[in-house]
Amino acid sequence: MLAHKDLHFSGRSGWLRAAVLGANDGLLSTASIIVGVAAASAATGPVLVAGLAGLVAGALSMAAGEYVSVSSQADSENADLKREAIELAGNADGEFEELVGILRTRGMSDATARQAATEMTEHDALATHAREEIGLSDTLNARPLQAAAASAAAFLVGGLPPLIVAAIVPFASVAVAVSLVALAMLFGLGATGARLGGAPVGRAALRVAFWGVIAMTATYAIGALFGTRL
């Protein structure tokens, strides 16, 4: 008999959030910088320098922010695990009864809950209480370095296309070309994220693209207003 496998979108929430946010930020930040500087400049050089600087700074900022955030989460998880270990060592019977109570609230009879609690405790008491009481599991544990690397990589992947476009098209077409490419990618990014997450595709794509248009329009207007085009 083949094993039955269900597709659960919630299991993707951690990496999906980091990937979508990172790529979206990389694309939109870099494209907006390029469009704004292009509106304020008279040559391709400053545009590429600004875009590259924004790409690198943004990737490092994303990595640092994600690392700090997930590290704080990891610290909280470790503190909860230590506290749970102390409680198990000092009051094993009380913790067992607490586990039985949790299992009963999930629909088990008292006898079944006690049997399940006994077997789960014998297998791994700390992991069982961490999962059932605190909601922690190996698949959901905070991993700061992994999160930081994923965010930085996603930012770079999202930010490179507008920089490449700016480098290969004539300067007079940079703002328009980068805007169109960024808009198309934002649609695709929003649709892909929605599909992977099980959300409505059209609404998500339009939402991402809408805010992209707002950001690029604002930076272009600032560049045109305060720039020194010759």
Side-chain angles (χ1 to χ4, degrees):
M1 180 181 294
L2 295 176
H4 177 67
K5 293 183 179 180
D6 289 326
L7 176 63
H8 297 292
F9 297 109
S10 60
R12 298 167 169 171
S13 60
W15 67 263
L16 180 61
R17 181 185 72 86
V20 171
L21 288 179
N24 182 77
D25 284 352
L27 172 61
L28 189 52
S29 297
T30 306
S32 296
I33 289 173
I34 290 173
V35 168
V37 177
S41 181
T44 301
V47 175
L48 296 179
V49 171
L52 181 60
L55 180 63
V56 174
L60 294 176
S61 176
M62 285 288 291
E66 196 73 12
Y67 181 82
V68 170
S69 175
V70 179
S71 292
S72 297
Q73 179 185 343
D75 290 341
S76 297
E77 292 177 357
N78 289 333
D80 283 339
L81 287 174
K82 290 179 181 179
R83 178 178 178 181
E84 194 62 35
I86 292 173
E87 292 177 350
L88 281 169
N91 185 22
D93 291 340
E95 289 296 302
F96 179 83
E97 292 299 328
E98 184 177 8
L99 178 58
V100 171
I102 292 173
L103 296 178
R104 289 182 63 185
T105 64
R106 296 179 181 175
M108 295 185 186
S109 66
D110 183 70
T112 301
R114 289 185 179 279
Q115 179 63 28
T118 298
E119 294 182 5
M120 294 164 70
T121 299
E122 290 176 351
H123 175 69
D124 191 331
L126 181 58
T128 295
H129 283 268
R131 182 179 62 253
E132 302 300 329
E133 288 187 42
I134 310 172
L136 299 180
S137 68
D138 289 340
T139 58
L140 298 178
N141 282 349
R143 296 178 176 87
L145 288 175
Q146 184 184 67
S151 293
F155 191 98
L156 290 172
V157 169
L160 279 174
L163 189 62
I164 293 172
V165 171
I168 63 178
V169 303
F171 174 74
S173 304
V174 165
V176 173
V178 169
S179 296
L180 292 177
V181 168
L183 188 59
M185 289 185 63
L186 286 170
F187 267 109
L189 186 61
T192 300
R195 185 176 297 276
L196 291 174
V201 172
R203 183 187 306 171
L206 288 174
R207 182 170 58 229
V208 173
F210 170 78
W211 288 108
V213 170
I214 295 297
M216 288 185 287
T217 299
T219 54
Y220 183 88
I222 292 173
L225 181 61
F226 296 102
T228 55
R229 182 182 293 276
L230 299 178

